[in-house]
Amino acid sequence: MHELPIVKSIFDICVKHATANNAKKILSVTLKVGEVSDLQDQWIQRYFDYLSKGTIVEGAKLVIKRVPLVMRCKLCSESFQVNVNERRQVECPRCKGTKLAYVSGREYIVENLEIV
Amino acid sequence: MEEIRLIEVKENILSDNKSKANELRDRLRSTGTFMLNLMSSPGSGKTSLILRTIEALKDELCLGVIEADIESIVDSEKVASRGVKVVQLRTGGFCHLDATMVSEGLNVLGPQDLDLVIIENVGNLVCPAEFDTGAIKNAMILSIPEGDDKPLKYPLMFTVCDVLVVNKIDAMGVFDFDLRAFEKRVRALNQNIDIFMTSCKTGEGINSWVNWIRNELKAFSTLA
């Protein structure tokens, strides 16, 4: 359910940038979404289509790039990729430390727009 | 044929809510109001914990409560009956509160007269974790009947909270809840989280929880 306010935010960003660039139409929108997010791609597109009806955004295709979860060990500074489904037993592969910080994986970014 | 242009945007989708949440925190610092966002699944004891907290603190602090429910107002009626300021936000189907909704609730309460505001977020372990409400600290409840596997299923919630209240410990004997395994799972996600064991039914552990609030308030007012 929380897809809707997030999609509204994506929609607003698209309209703002398309208008500022005198676009007639938006062809595609590339999003960068961290793997930790539980947003479902198909729902994002459905809500987006619903919101964009009758606007310059109508018909735009969402391209969703998933950003892998990367963590950094606070002890030895090693950065490493983590399988989201195995997050429960994460430890540093180099020093076995468990004090970790997020490097990436929680992004919600509108990367770019393709317009005409 | 029209030329296709690519515009670099690189704008954070949730930055709007995040900046509203930061504004709200500035406002709370200026009025010296500590706001706590309480999250959990439905039925884990949010309202009961709030009632216990009110009981313990109402003589020393001015309290306010922001209640969020998709439909009903039963929780706010319970809280109002204890003589504290309460505002009910009906989210109308939304599964979480965001900073704008909380800000409106706070306007109704009038934060300038309040030391502590507790937000009872919508009962849900998923969406509220994604949205910064503007609270100073985030708290969650996990009750014993829900099971010790919840950190595996809802990792983000356990990651974003500063404090975890394990409620209904009076029911420990009835359920196969492995407390050690649970704590290990929680710590793997969030090393520094404070954990309290309570029973809102018997009152066990409530003192330690309330002392945590007192200490946080003290730290907050020294900084503010």
Side-chain angles (χ1 to χ4, degrees):
Chain A
M1 184 63 211
H2 71 283
E3 272 85 354
L4 188 55
I6 288 175
V7 173
K8 175 73 169 68
S9 188
I10 298 170
F11 173 76
D12 290 342
I13 292 170
C14 290
V15 171
K16 186 175 79 182
H17 287 271
T19 314
N21 286 282
N22 298 316
K24 288 195 204 100
K25 204 171 163 39
I26 301 179
L27 302 179
S28 72
V29 181
T30 304
L31 307 176
K32 265 169 87 171
V33 179
E35 268 187 353
V36 175
S37 153
D38 56 0
L39 287 188
Q40 296 297 313
D41 296 6
Q42 75 181 83
W43 280 102
I44 302 183
Q45 182 73 57
R46 277 166 79 172
Y47 282 132
F48 191 75
D49 292 345
Y50 168 76
L51 283 175
S52 57
K53 223 165 254 174
T55 72
I56 51 170
V57 189
E58 183 168 356
K61 167 125 187 56
L62 292 178
V63 181
I64 300 166
K65 285 191 193 163
R66 290 280 172 174
V67 184
L69 172 59
V70 175
M71 302 194 90
R72 194 185 65 243
C73 176
K74 288 183 179 174
L75 281 173
C76 74
S77 297
E78 173 91 346
S79 290
F80 54 96
Q81 196 170 324
V82 177
N83 181 333
V84 177
N85 300 320
E86 290 166 8
R87 245 197 310 171
R88 52 183 173 265
Q89 289 152 353
V90 182
E91 56 177 30
C92 172
R94 197 164 95 183
C95 76
K96 307 285 174 208
T98 53
K99 288 194 175 175
L100 308 168
Y102 282 95
V103 176
S104 71
R106 293 192 61 183
E107 293 77 0
Y108 274 118
I109 296 166
V110 178
E111 183 81 344
N112 59 50
L113 304 177
E114 239 182 5
I115 58 166
V116 288
Chain B
M1 173 113 178
E2 278 177 301
E3 192 194 345
I4 298 172
R5 287 181 289 159
L6 188 72
I7 309 171
E8 290 295 319
V9 176
K10 300 211 186 302
E11 197 166 323
N12 193 325
I13 296 165
L14 292 176
S15 64
D16 199 34
N17 185 59
K18 189 84 193 164
S19 60
K20 285 198 179 106
N22 287 334
E23 276 168 32
L24 193 50
R25 267 187 290 274
D26 285 342
R27 207 175 129 202
L28 292 166
R29 281 187 201 102
S30 73
T31 57
T33 311
F34 183 86
M35 186 160 75
L36 183 70
N37 175 27
L38 182 58
M39 298 176 280
S40 81
S41 30
S44 60
K46 286 186 295 301
T47 311
S48 303
L49 187 68
I50 289 173
L51 294 176
R52 282 284 188 181
T53 309
I54 292 171
E55 205 176 299
L57 292 172
K58 69 177 177 195
D59 293 334
E60 55 189 282
L61 298 172
C62 285
L63 275 98
V65 176
I66 297 177
E67 286 286 347
D69 256 314
I70 288 179
E71 285 299 340
S72 82
I73 56 163
V74 290
D75 288 348
S76 58
E77 285 170 348
K78 274 190 219 161
V79 173
S81 71
R82 307 298 165 103
V84 301
K85 276 185 158 180
V86 56
V87 55
Q88 171 78 46
L89 301 174
R90 265 194 284 194
T91 60
F94 267 27
C95 50
H96 64 274
L97 287 175
D98 62 19
T100 307
M101 292 190 248
V102 170
S103 180
E104 283 164 16
L106 205 59
N107 289 342
V108 178
L109 284 179
Q112 61 283 355
D113 307 322
L114 298 171
D115 306 305
L116 171 66
V117 172
I118 303 175
I119 305 169
E120 181 171 347
N121 214 313
V122 181
N124 176 345
L125 286 178
V126 186
C127 321
E130 295 273 16
F131 290 84
D132 192 339
T133 56
I136 305 296
K137 293 278 169 172
N138 289 308
M140 70 169 291
I141 303 176
L142 190 283
S143 65
I144 296 297
E146 291 170 71
D148 52 41
D149 59 348
K150 291 301 165 287
L152 309 179
K153 293 186 168 183
Y154 307 99
L156 187 63
M157 179 59 77
F158 288 86
T159 308
V160 300
C161 283
D162 303 288
V163 58
L164 162 65
V165 174
V166 182
N167 192 29
K168 305 191 188 179
I169 52 165
D170 54 289
M172 192 76 101
V174 186
F175 297 93
D176 296 324
F177 191 99
D178 186 337
L179 195 57
R180 281 186 60 188
F182 173 72
E183 195 178 335
K184 211 174 148 194
R185 287 165 184 160
V186 174
R187 295 272 177 222
L189 296 165
N190 188 338
Q191 191 91 25
N192 301 318
I193 195 167
D194 288 310
I195 303 178
F196 295 98
M197 312 287 290
T198 64
S199 163
C200 289
K201 190 176 174 189
T202 66
E204 192 180 344
I206 297 295
N207 276 342
S208 311
W209 156 247
V210 171
N211 276 333
W212 179 88
I213 296 181
R214 286 192 183 104
N215 288 334
E216 289 295 324
L217 253 156
K218 215 180 286 172
F220 171 71
S221 47
T222 346
L223 283 173

